[in-house]
Amino acid sequence: MTALISASGLSVAMGARRVLSGVNFSIDPGEIVTVVGPNGSGKSTFLRALIGALPATSGHVTRKADLRLGYVPQSLFVDPSLPITVARFLDLPRRQSAQAKQRVLLEAGVEGLEKRQLADLSGGQKQRVLLARALLGDPELLLLDEPTQGLDQPGSAAFYRQIETLRDQKGCAILMVSHELHVVMSASDRVICINGHICCEGHPEVVAQADAYRALFGSGTRGALALYRHEHSHHHHHDHDHDHDHDHENGQEKEAV
Ligand SMILES: Nc1ncnc2c1ncn2[C@@H]1O[C@H](COP(=O)(O)OP(=O)(O)OP(=O)(O)O)[C@@H](O)[C@H]1O
């Protein structure tokens, strides 16, 4: 399988300060990868370097030719004194057909919102409209930088379920940054923990138990992780022989490094 993006020995400096060092990474079609790490650990820098918005100071990044990217920002501020409907918003910067708008709103889980004022939507609806906009270009890779900021935990969990459904239906790969480890991890095939370099990576279960991860985030997230699974009625067994009530959980395991 050809990777959509890969990085090898990627280092990025901001002025005199090295923000990322020696990062090796790749994401394949259809994969969901979540990047976690403390504040200021280089997560946004990593995303920006991967898409070519920031130059590598050493190492290199390779992107599939003509890679179709969709980007979902953290949040959207809408000035209530500037009325704009959802449909008009989706027409920026390029006019879209009514069918295209209908399709992406449906895919993002907010069908029928075309005529609503953006300013009147709930936080969760706004995030889904941003997601819908990112889907207009039929992306092979969706990048999300803390896409659920301001949503409560059930709202975030619902958003991540939507992301998973999208991947299952459209086969697009997802690369996202999130602070909400406990909510997002179950939706990920792979988690990358960054703190200036990759501290550990692998299947969510493996990362949650890795020493480097625990040193950064403590061990408290295990319980919350289990809680989230419970909501999904996932059943997990460490030998992975019996846990197939949901088949998206069967991603391969990598050893933590
Ligand atoms: N334009 C810039 N000029 C100088 N330093 C920068 C610049 N952008 C980011 N940095 C520094 O690089 C480091 C990594 O920033 P980055 O935004 O990648 O971290 P992050 O992990 O995304 O943080 P957060 O979780 O707080 O969003 C930080 O110390 C930040 O201060």
Tab-separated table of all heavy atoms in Angstrom, residues 93-141:
chain	number	residue	atom	x	y	z
A	93	PRO	N	-14.792	29.168	-0.612
A	93	PRO	CA	-14.569	30.256	-1.553
A	93	PRO	C	-15.102	29.961	-2.953
A	93	PRO	O	-14.982	30.818	-3.821
A	93	PRO	CB	-13.035	30.349	-1.596
A	93	PRO	CG	-12.589	28.939	-1.396
A	93	PRO	CD	-13.618	28.300	-0.493
A	94	ARG	N	-15.652	28.767	-3.150
A	94	ARG	CA	-16.091	28.393	-4.497
A	94	ARG	C	-17.533	27.938	-4.451
A	94	ARG	O	-17.930	27.178	-3.566
A	94	ARG	CB	-15.256	27.200	-4.991
A	94	ARG	CG	-14.496	27.459	-6.272
A	94	ARG	CD	-13.874	26.185	-6.804
A	94	ARG	NE	-13.386	25.268	-5.798
A	94	ARG	CZ	-12.194	25.373	-5.196
A	94	ARG	NH1	-11.380	26.342	-5.502
A	94	ARG	NH2	-11.835	24.491	-4.302
A	95	ARG	N	-18.316	28.382	-5.404
A	95	ARG	CA	-19.703	27.982	-5.465
A	95	ARG	C	-19.832	26.470	-5.670
A	95	ARG	O	-19.111	25.887	-6.459
A	95	ARG	CB	-20.385	28.712	-6.626
A	95	ARG	CG	-21.826	29.003	-6.329
A	95	ARG	CD	-22.543	29.567	-7.528
A	95	ARG	NE	-23.920	29.136	-7.409
A	95	ARG	CZ	-24.838	29.807	-6.736
A	95	ARG	NH1	-24.533	30.959	-6.192
A	95	ARG	NH2	-26.072	29.349	-6.641
A	96	GLN	N	-20.742	25.861	-4.937
A	96	GLN	CA	-20.938	24.411	-5.017
A	96	GLN	C	-22.368	24.128	-5.468
A	96	GLN	O	-23.270	24.925	-5.218
A	96	GLN	CB	-20.740	23.776	-3.632
A	96	GLN	CG	-19.411	24.100	-2.976
A	96	GLN	CD	-18.252	23.373	-3.626
A	96	GLN	OE1	-18.429	22.306	-4.231
A	96	GLN	NE2	-17.064	23.934	-3.503
A	97	SER	N	-22.573	22.980	-6.080
A	97	SER	CA	-23.927	22.632	-6.499
A	97	SER	C	-24.767	22.283	-5.262
A	97	SER	O	-24.229	21.903	-4.210
A	97	SER	CB	-23.896	21.422	-7.440
A	97	SER	OG	-23.541	20.272	-6.708
A	98	ALA	N	-26.085	22.421	-5.403
A	98	ALA	CA	-26.981	22.083	-4.293
A	98	ALA	C	-26.802	20.617	-3.901
A	98	ALA	O	-26.817	20.273	-2.712
A	98	ALA	CB	-28.434	22.356	-4.702
A	99	GLN	N	-26.599	19.751	-4.903
A	99	GLN	CA	-26.410	18.322	-4.604
A	99	GLN	C	-25.147	18.083	-3.795
A	99	GLN	O	-25.135	17.275	-2.876
A	99	GLN	CB	-26.302	17.465	-5.886
A	99	GLN	CG	-27.556	17.397	-6.708
A	99	GLN	CD	-27.529	18.469	-7.799
A	99	GLN	OE1	-27.296	19.650	-7.525
A	99	GLN	NE2	-27.764	18.065	-9.046
A	100	ALA	N	-24.063	18.793	-4.161
A	100	ALA	CA	-22.793	18.610	-3.441
A	100	ALA	C	-22.964	19.025	-1.984
A	100	ALA	O	-22.515	18.342	-1.065
A	100	ALA	CB	-21.690	19.415	-4.110
A	101	LYS	N	-23.665	20.136	-1.769
A	101	LYS	CA	-23.862	20.625	-0.405
A	101	LYS	C	-24.716	19.640	0.400
A	101	LYS	O	-24.421	19.340	1.555
A	101	LYS	CB	-24.506	22.013	-0.428
A	101	LYS	CG	-23.525	23.083	-0.901
A	101	LYS	CD	-24.106	24.470	-0.852
A	101	LYS	CE	-24.684	24.870	-2.172
A	101	LYS	NZ	-24.917	26.311	-2.313
A	102	GLN	N	-25.753	19.141	-0.264
A	102	GLN	CA	-26.636	18.186	0.396
A	102	GLN	C	-25.852	16.919	0.791
A	102	GLN	O	-25.985	16.400	1.896
A	102	GLN	CB	-27.757	17.813	-0.570
A	102	GLN	CG	-28.894	17.066	0.059
A	102	GLN	CD	-29.963	16.733	-0.982
A	102	GLN	OE1	-29.748	16.860	-2.196
A	102	GLN	NE2	-31.112	16.321	-0.518
A	103	ARG	N	-25.011	16.470	-0.139
A	103	ARG	CA	-24.244	15.241	0.099
A	103	ARG	C	-23.289	15.407	1.290
A	103	ARG	O	-23.273	14.576	2.197
A	103	ARG	CB	-23.421	14.893	-1.156
A	103	ARG	CG	-22.409	13.771	-0.941
A	103	ARG	CD	-21.597	13.461	-2.195
A	103	ARG	NE	-20.712	14.529	-2.629
A	103	ARG	CZ	-19.480	14.757	-2.155
A	103	ARG	NH1	-18.975	13.966	-1.227
A	103	ARG	NH2	-18.755	15.744	-2.611
A	104	VAL	N	-22.520	16.503	1.325
A	104	VAL	CA	-21.532	16.627	2.406
A	104	VAL	C	-22.199	16.861	3.761
A	104	VAL	O	-21.703	16.388	4.784
A	104	VAL	CB	-20.456	17.705	2.119
A	104	VAL	CG1	-19.577	17.281	0.954
A	104	VAL	CG2	-21.047	19.085	1.908
A	105	LEU	N	-23.339	17.554	3.755
A	105	LEU	CA	-24.038	17.759	5.037
A	105	LEU	C	-24.551	16.422	5.565
A	105	LEU	O	-24.473	16.131	6.761
A	105	LEU	CB	-25.177	18.771	4.879
A	105	LEU	CG	-24.722	20.229	4.693
A	105	LEU	CD1	-25.902	21.134	4.345
A	105	LEU	CD2	-24.020	20.761	5.942
A	106	LEU	N	-25.027	15.599	4.649
A	106	LEU	CA	-25.483	14.261	5.033
A	106	LEU	C	-24.313	13.439	5.580
A	106	LEU	O	-24.403	12.821	6.646
A	106	LEU	CB	-26.105	13.572	3.814
A	106	LEU	CG	-26.605	12.145	4.003
A	106	LEU	CD1	-27.832	12.128	4.914
A	106	LEU	CD2	-26.960	11.508	2.648
A	107	GLU	N	-23.192	13.483	4.863
A	107	GLU	CA	-22.020	12.712	5.293
A	107	GLU	C	-21.484	13.186	6.639
A	107	GLU	O	-20.923	12.406	7.397
A	107	GLU	CB	-20.903	12.815	4.235
A	107	GLU	CG	-21.193	11.986	3.001
A	107	GLU	CD	-20.209	12.253	1.862
A	107	GLU	OE1	-19.376	13.180	1.969
A	107	GLU	OE2	-20.286	11.531	0.863
A	108	ALA	N	-21.661	14.475	6.912
A	108	ALA	CA	-21.158	15.020	8.175
A	108	ALA	C	-22.191	14.883	9.298
A	108	ALA	O	-21.939	15.295	10.427
A	108	ALA	CB	-20.757	16.481	7.992
A	109	GLY	N	-23.350	14.330	8.981
A	109	GLY	CA	-24.354	14.085	10.019
A	109	GLY	C	-25.221	15.292	10.336
A	109	GLY	O	-25.803	15.370	11.420
A	110	VAL	N	-25.300	16.261	9.425
A	110	VAL	CA	-26.149	17.438	9.652
A	110	VAL	C	-26.978	17.745	8.405
A	110	VAL	O	-27.006	18.886	7.927
A	110	VAL	CB	-25.343	18.691	10.078
A	110	VAL	CG1	-25.022	18.660	11.550
A	110	VAL	CG2	-24.072	18.848	9.253
A	111	GLU	N	-27.642	16.729	7.888
A	111	GLU	CA	-28.406	16.960	6.668
A	111	GLU	C	-29.532	17.957	6.901
A	111	GLU	O	-30.070	18.063	8.015
A	111	GLU	CB	-28.961	15.646	6.128
A	111	GLU	CG	-29.931	14.965	7.056
A	111	GLU	CD	-30.450	13.673	6.438
A	111	GLU	OE1	-30.949	13.720	5.297
A	111	GLU	OE2	-30.339	12.635	7.115
A	112	GLY	N	-29.840	18.704	5.865
A	112	GLY	CA	-30.979	19.610	5.909
A	112	GLY	C	-30.732	20.947	6.578
A	112	GLY	O	-31.663	21.715	6.795
A	113	LEU	N	-29.486	21.254	6.920
A	113	LEU	CA	-29.225	22.526	7.619
A	113	LEU	C	-28.979	23.704	6.671
A	113	LEU	O	-28.708	24.816	7.133
A	113	LEU	CB	-27.987	22.406	8.521
A	113	LEU	CG	-28.087	21.621	9.819
A	113	LEU	CD1	-26.868	21.908	10.687
A	113	LEU	CD2	-29.354	21.976	10.579
A	114	GLU	N	-29.096	23.468	5.360
A	114	GLU	CA	-28.680	24.487	4.383
A	114	GLU	C	-29.175	25.900	4.672
A	114	GLU	O	-28.445	26.865	4.524
A	114	GLU	CB	-29.166	24.114	2.966
A	114	GLU	CG	-28.378	23.020	2.281
A	114	GLU	CD	-28.932	21.631	2.509
A	114	GLU	OE1	-29.612	21.419	3.535
A	114	GLU	OE2	-28.686	20.757	1.664
A	115	LYS	N	-30.444	26.026	5.061
A	115	LYS	CA	-31.027	27.373	5.183
A	115	LYS	C	-30.818	27.989	6.565
A	115	LYS	O	-31.207	29.134	6.797
A	115	LYS	CB	-32.531	27.299	4.872
A	115	LYS	CG	-32.829	26.890	3.434
A	115	LYS	CD	-34.241	27.318	3.048
A	115	LYS	CE	-34.483	27.213	1.556
A	115	LYS	NZ	-34.713	25.816	1.120
A	116	ARG	N	-30.240	27.223	7.484
A	116	ARG	CA	-30.069	27.754	8.838
A	116	ARG	C	-28.946	28.788	8.894
A	116	ARG	O	-27.988	28.731	8.129
A	116	ARG	CB	-29.725	26.597	9.800
A	116	ARG	CG	-30.850	25.569	9.935
A	116	ARG	CD	-31.909	26.009	10.906
A	116	ARG	NE	-31.343	26.224	12.240
A	116	ARG	CZ	-31.150	25.241	13.121
A	116	ARG	NH1	-31.485	24.003	12.839
A	116	ARG	NH2	-30.640	25.502	14.309
A	117	GLN	N	-29.096	29.731	9.828
A	117	GLN	CA	-28.029	30.701	10.056
A	117	GLN	C	-26.879	30.010	10.797
A	117	GLN	O	-27.112	29.311	11.785
A	117	GLN	CB	-28.546	31.863	10.918
A	117	GLN	CG	-29.433	32.834	10.170
A	117	GLN	CD	-28.686	33.565	9.069
A	117	GLN	OE1	-27.532	33.973	9.250
A	117	GLN	NE2	-29.328	33.716	7.920
A	118	LEU	N	-25.679	30.244	10.325
A	118	LEU	CA	-24.505	29.645	10.961
A	118	LEU	C	-24.425	30.028	12.446
A	118	LEU	O	-24.118	29.190	13.296
A	118	LEU	CB	-23.262	30.156	10.214
A	118	LEU	CG	-22.056	29.237	10.090
A	118	LEU	CD1	-22.436	27.850	9.648
A	118	LEU	CD2	-21.060	29.859	9.128
A	119	ALA	N	-24.718	31.306	12.731
A	119	ALA	CA	-24.587	31.796	14.104
A	119	ALA	C	-25.572	31.114	15.065
A	119	ALA	O	-25.358	31.097	16.270
A	119	ALA	CB	-24.790	33.303	14.140
A	120	ASP	N	-26.649	30.541	14.520
A	120	ASP	CA	-27.665	29.937	15.384
A	120	ASP	C	-27.386	28.464	15.691
A	120	ASP	O	-28.117	27.840	16.452
A	120	ASP	CB	-29.054	30.001	14.715
A	120	ASP	CG	-29.527	31.443	14.584
A	120	ASP	OD1	-28.937	32.310	15.266
A	120	ASP	OD2	-30.474	31.683	13.809
A	121	LEU	N	-26.362	27.890	15.061
A	121	LEU	CA	-26.123	26.459	15.257
A	121	LEU	C	-25.450	26.186	16.599
A	121	LEU	O	-24.740	27.044	17.133
A	121	LEU	CB	-25.235	25.919	14.137
A	121	LEU	CG	-25.744	26.083	12.707
A	121	LEU	CD1	-24.760	25.448	11.732
A	121	LEU	CD2	-27.126	25.472	12.539
A	122	SER	N	-25.624	24.983	17.094
A	122	SER	CA	-24.916	24.572	18.309
A	122	SER	C	-23.456	24.334	17.950
A	122	SER	O	-23.097	24.226	16.769
A	122	SER	CB	-25.517	23.277	18.844
A	122	SER	OG	-25.172	22.194	17.990
A	123	GLY	N	-22.613	24.238	18.983
A	123	GLY	CA	-21.185	23.996	18.753
A	123	GLY	C	-20.960	22.723	17.939
A	123	GLY	O	-20.146	22.699	17.017
A	124	GLY	N	-21.681	21.676	18.288
A	124	GLY	CA	-21.515	20.392	17.595
A	124	GLY	C	-21.944	20.484	16.135
A	124	GLY	O	-21.303	19.919	15.251
A	125	GLN	N	-23.025	21.230	15.900
A	125	GLN	CA	-23.495	21.399	14.512
A	125	GLN	C	-22.479	22.200	13.696
A	125	GLN	O	-22.203	21.872	12.549
A	125	GLN	CB	-24.851	22.091	14.488
A	125	GLN	CG	-25.995	21.181	14.926
A	125	GLN	CD	-27.299	21.948	15.065
A	125	GLN	OE1	-27.318	23.105	15.486
A	125	GLN	NE2	-28.405	21.293	14.727
A	126	LYS	N	-21.916	23.238	14.327
A	126	LYS	CA	-20.911	24.055	13.616
A	126	LYS	C	-19.702	23.212	13.234
A	126	LYS	O	-19.190	23.319	12.125
A	126	LYS	CB	-20.443	25.213	14.514
A	126	LYS	CG	-21.165	26.500	14.218
A	126	LYS	CD	-20.566	27.632	15.023
A	126	LYS	CE	-21.676	28.414	15.668
A	126	LYS	NZ	-21.334	29.150	16.856
A	127	GLN	N	-19.259	22.371	14.173
A	127	GLN	CA	-18.105	21.523	13.858
A	127	GLN	C	-18.421	20.608	12.684
A	127	GLN	O	-17.592	20.352	11.828
A	127	GLN	CB	-17.701	20.680	15.064
A	127	GLN	CG	-16.698	21.303	15.991
A	127	GLN	CD	-15.657	22.160	15.321
A	127	GLN	OE1	-15.738	23.383	15.352
A	127	GLN	NE2	-14.664	21.556	14.703
A	128	ARG	N	-19.653	20.118	12.633
A	128	ARG	CA	-20.029	19.228	11.536
A	128	ARG	C	-20.141	19.982	10.211
A	128	ARG	O	-19.883	19.425	9.161
A	128	ARG	CB	-21.330	18.505	11.868
A	128	ARG	CG	-21.128	17.369	12.841
A	128	ARG	CD	-22.431	16.635	13.079
A	128	ARG	NE	-22.235	15.388	13.744
A	128	ARG	CZ	-21.919	15.240	15.014
A	128	ARG	NH1	-21.741	16.312	15.778
A	128	ARG	NH2	-21.761	14.045	15.547
A	129	VAL	N	-20.522	21.253	10.291
A	129	VAL	CA	-20.555	22.053	9.062
A	129	VAL	C	-19.117	22.270	8.554
A	129	VAL	O	-18.850	22.194	7.355
A	129	VAL	CB	-21.294	23.391	9.286
A	129	VAL	CG1	-21.096	24.333	8.101
A	129	VAL	CG2	-22.784	23.128	9.509
A	130	LEU	N	-18.185	22.477	9.486
A	130	LEU	CA	-16.780	22.591	9.087
A	130	LEU	C	-16.286	21.286	8.470
A	130	LEU	O	-15.531	21.273	7.502
A	130	LEU	CB	-15.906	22.957	10.298
A	130	LEU	CG	-16.023	24.387	10.801
A	130	LEU	CD1	-15.208	24.563	12.085
A	130	LEU	CD2	-15.534	25.367	9.746
A	131	LEU	N	-16.743	20.195	9.064
A	131	LEU	CA	-16.393	18.875	8.518
A	131	LEU	C	-16.987	18.718	7.120
A	131	LEU	O	-16.303	18.269	6.190
A	131	LEU	CB	-16.917	17.789	9.472
A	131	LEU	CG	-16.756	16.341	9.057
A	131	LEU	CD1	-15.275	15.990	8.897
A	131	LEU	CD2	-17.391	15.407	10.106
A	132	ALA	N	-18.238	19.130	6.963
A	132	ALA	CA	-18.902	19.042	5.658
A	132	ALA	C	-18.111	19.830	4.621
A	132	ALA	O	-17.879	19.366	3.504
A	132	ALA	CB	-20.337	19.575	5.753
A	133	ARG	N	-17.653	21.025	5.018
A	133	ARG	CA	-16.897	21.845	4.073
A	133	ARG	C	-15.601	21.146	3.654
A	133	ARG	O	-15.209	21.172	2.495
A	133	ARG	CB	-16.586	23.210	4.683
A	133	ARG	CG	-16.028	24.171	3.638
A	133	ARG	CD	-15.794	25.539	4.196
A	133	ARG	NE	-14.791	25.500	5.246
A	133	ARG	CZ	-14.143	26.559	5.678
A	133	ARG	NH1	-14.416	27.750	5.176
A	133	ARG	NH2	-13.246	26.458	6.628
A	134	ALA	N	-14.970	20.472	4.629
A	134	ALA	CA	-13.728	19.761	4.310
A	134	ALA	C	-13.987	18.581	3.371
A	134	ALA	O	-13.083	18.122	2.683
A	134	ALA	CB	-13.063	19.276	5.598
A	135	LEU	N	-15.224	18.086	3.364
A	135	LEU	CA	-15.550	16.920	2.536
A	135	LEU	C	-15.870	17.289	1.091
A	135	LEU	O	-15.965	16.413	0.237
A	135	LEU	CB	-16.742	16.162	3.145
A	135	LEU	CG	-16.464	15.461	4.480
A	135	LEU	CD1	-17.760	14.937	5.083
A	135	LEU	CD2	-15.456	14.334	4.303
A	136	LEU	N	-16.040	18.582	0.825
A	136	LEU	CA	-16.447	19.002	-0.527
A	136	LEU	C	-15.451	18.562	-1.604
A	136	LEU	O	-15.834	18.234	-2.706
A	136	LEU	CB	-16.628	20.532	-0.585
A	136	LEU	CG	-17.946	21.049	-0.010
A	136	LEU	CD1	-17.879	22.567	0.162
A	136	LEU	CD2	-19.126	20.666	-0.899
A	137	GLY	N	-14.180	18.535	-1.253
A	137	GLY	CA	-13.164	18.155	-2.240
A	137	GLY	C	-12.932	16.655	-2.307
A	137	GLY	O	-11.956	16.219	-2.900
A	138	ASP	N	-13.813	15.850	-1.687
A	138	ASP	CA	-13.683	14.403	-1.660
A	138	ASP	C	-12.268	13.980	-1.230
A	138	ASP	O	-11.526	13.333	-1.975
A	138	ASP	CB	-14.010	13.827	-3.044
A	138	ASP	CG	-14.219	12.321	-2.969
A	138	ASP	OD1	-14.473	11.813	-1.861
A	138	ASP	OD2	-14.088	11.658	-4.016
A	139	PRO	N	-11.870	14.383	-0.005
A	139	PRO	CA	-10.480	14.192	0.417
A	139	PRO	C	-10.101	12.718	0.590
A	139	PRO	O	-10.933	11.899	0.983
A	139	PRO	CB	-10.418	14.912	1.764
A	139	PRO	CG	-11.818	14.902	2.264
A	139	PRO	CD	-12.689	14.996	1.054
A	140	GLU	N	-8.841	12.437	0.304
A	140	GLU	CA	-8.286	11.120	0.636
A	140	GLU	C	-7.753	11.130	2.056
A	140	GLU	O	-7.582	10.095	2.676
A	140	GLU	CB	-7.100	10.804	-0.289
A	140	GLU	CG	-7.436	10.693	-1.741
A	140	GLU	CD	-6.195	10.884	-2.602
A	140	GLU	OE1	-5.749	12.034	-2.801
A	140	GLU	OE2	-5.679	9.869	-3.073
A	141	LEU	N	-7.444	12.336	2.527
A	141	LEU	CA	-6.935	12.488	3.891
A	141	LEU	C	-7.593	13.702	4.535
A	141	LEU	O	-7.563	14.800	3.984
A	141	LEU	CB	-5.407	12.696	3.860
A	141	LEU	CG	-4.730	12.984	5.195
A	141	LEU	CD1	-4.919	11.846	6.194
A	141	LEU	CD2	-3.238	13.243	4.991
